[in-house]
Amino acid sequence: MSWLDEVPWNEHGLIAAIAQDGSSDRILTLAWMNRDALQKTVESGEAVYWSRSRKKLWRKGEESGHVQKVLEVRLDCDADAVLLRVEQAGGIACHTGRESCFFRKLENGRWVTVDPVLKDPALIYRK
Amino acid sequence: MSWLDEVPWNEHGLIAAIAQDGSSDRILTLAWMNRDALQKTVESGEAVYWSRSRKKLWRKGEESGHVQKVLEVRLDCDADAVLLRVEQAGGIACHTGRESCFFRKLENGRWVTVDPVLKDPALIYRK
């Protein structure tokens, strides 16, 4: 898999992965991938990340159903990030029930929540 | 500066910073900021990053003239990334003379350059 060898994994074996919505062009998430995650993402066509807190592979949407179907994968010039264009299931990427994880905006020296909750997380994550 | 205190700087005192073009919505760059860089970015209204290779503050465009005027700053839910919406001077963010650093696309197991060089880097960086 030579394309995987061209990725200069950092000292933790990871690369940053930005997910951008293929319809709205919004940035949805920044997460991390190891080699296995990137390979599984490309093979399966759905985003798989490396959870740094849980230290395991994390198929995006495995609990919430909010999978990210991958439309395109790009690599940046110094190869320290990949960019996924995705089709976001449910239109919700964030565990708070919002479209994007970037829902806080700096306004006059304060981080202000500016995006609405589209679905109650209690409904997203109930068993 | 309490808004700066809300940013959970990583073990190196850094946070990932994604720059998105405010007109085209394209992702231009992924770079890193320390506290000083983020403060200077907000105060000056132009993107200032931390160069991990040169270990110093780096005012984007200081050599190339391709400054990034900051339109908006957002923070993500687990606060490990900031998103800048910017007005990209010259329409060129990449040191290769392309609009975006994400100019390589995965196609059939190869990273293929799919975006044109808009200006010869030799012309951008000549003294």
Side-chain angles (χ1 to χ4, degrees):
Chain A
M1 304 289 283
S2 64
W3 65 275
L4 280 168
D5 295 329
E6 288 180 57
V7 178
W9 310 97
N10 73 10
E11 70 271 29
H12 304 295
L14 302 176
I15 190 169
I18 303 165
Q20 180 176 32
D21 191 283
S23 303
S24 71
D25 279 329
R26 279 202 69 179
I27 308 305
L28 301 174
T29 49
L30 177 78
W32 294 84
M33 290 185 173
N34 62 7
R35 184 183 172 104
D36 197 19
L38 181 53
Q39 185 171 352
K40 284 188 163 57
T41 294
V42 170
E43 286 175 358
S44 71
E46 292 184 352
V48 178
Y49 299 109
W50 174 255
S51 169
R52 293 181 300 171
S53 55
R54 289 179 289 163
K55 299 192 192 313
K56 62 170 195 167
L57 287 183
W58 157 46
R59 185 170 291 277
K60 172 74 180 162
E62 61 191 6
E63 289 185 57
S64 63
H66 295 151
V67 301
Q68 293 178 332
K69 184 178 168 190
V70 175
L71 307 175
E72 183 179 291
V73 181
R74 287 188 179 230
L75 186 65
D76 73 347
C77 57
D78 53 1
D80 61 4
V82 290
L83 171 62
L84 310 180
R85 282 186 72 85
V86 303
E87 186 182 306
Q88 176 62 61
I92 295 175
C94 187
H95 74 288
T96 63
R98 295 181 176 86
E99 178 187 6
S100 162
C101 291
F102 293 90
F103 57 80
R104 285 185 287 175
K105 184 175 163 182
L106 188 62
E107 292 184 351
N108 303 313
R110 290 194 311 129
W111 298 108
V112 179
T113 296
V114 291
D115 294 345
V117 171
L118 302 178
K119 188 172 179 180
D120 183 343
L123 298 177
I124 296 174
Y125 294 99
R126 68 179 170 188
K127 298 293 175 189
Chain B
M1 305 288 285
S2 62
W3 64 276
L4 281 168
D5 295 330
E6 287 181 57
V7 177
W9 310 97
N10 73 10
E11 70 271 30
H12 304 295
L14 302 176
I15 191 169
I18 303 165
Q20 180 176 33
D21 191 282
S23 303
S24 72
D25 279 329
R26 278 203 68 178
I27 307 307
L28 301 175
T29 49
L30 177 78
W32 294 83
M33 291 184 172
N34 62 8
R35 184 182 171 104
D36 198 19
L38 181 54
Q39 186 171 350
K40 284 188 163 58
T41 293
V42 170
E43 285 174 0
S44 71
E46 292 183 351
V48 178
Y49 299 108
W50 175 255
S51 169
R52 295 182 299 170
S53 54
R54 291 178 288 163
K55 299 191 193 314
K56 63 171 195 167
L57 286 182
W58 157 47
R59 186 171 291 277
K60 171 75 180 163
E62 62 190 5
E63 288 185 59
S64 64
H66 296 151
V67 302
Q68 292 178 334
K69 185 178 169 191
V70 176
L71 307 175
E72 183 179 290
V73 181
R74 288 187 177 230
L75 185 65
D76 73 347
C77 55
D78 53 2
D80 61 4
V82 290
L83 170 62
L84 310 179
R85 282 186 71 85
V86 302
E87 185 182 305
Q88 175 63 61
I92 295 175
C94 187
H95 75 287
T96 64
R98 294 181 176 87
E99 178 187 6
S100 162
C101 292
F102 293 90
F103 57 81
R104 285 185 287 175
K105 184 175 163 183
L106 188 62
E107 292 184 351
N108 303 315
R110 290 193 311 130
W111 297 107
V112 179
T113 296
V114 292
D115 293 347
V117 172
L118 301 177
K119 188 173 179 180
D120 183 342
L123 297 177
I124 298 175
Y125 293 99
R126 67 179 172 189
K127 297 295 175 189

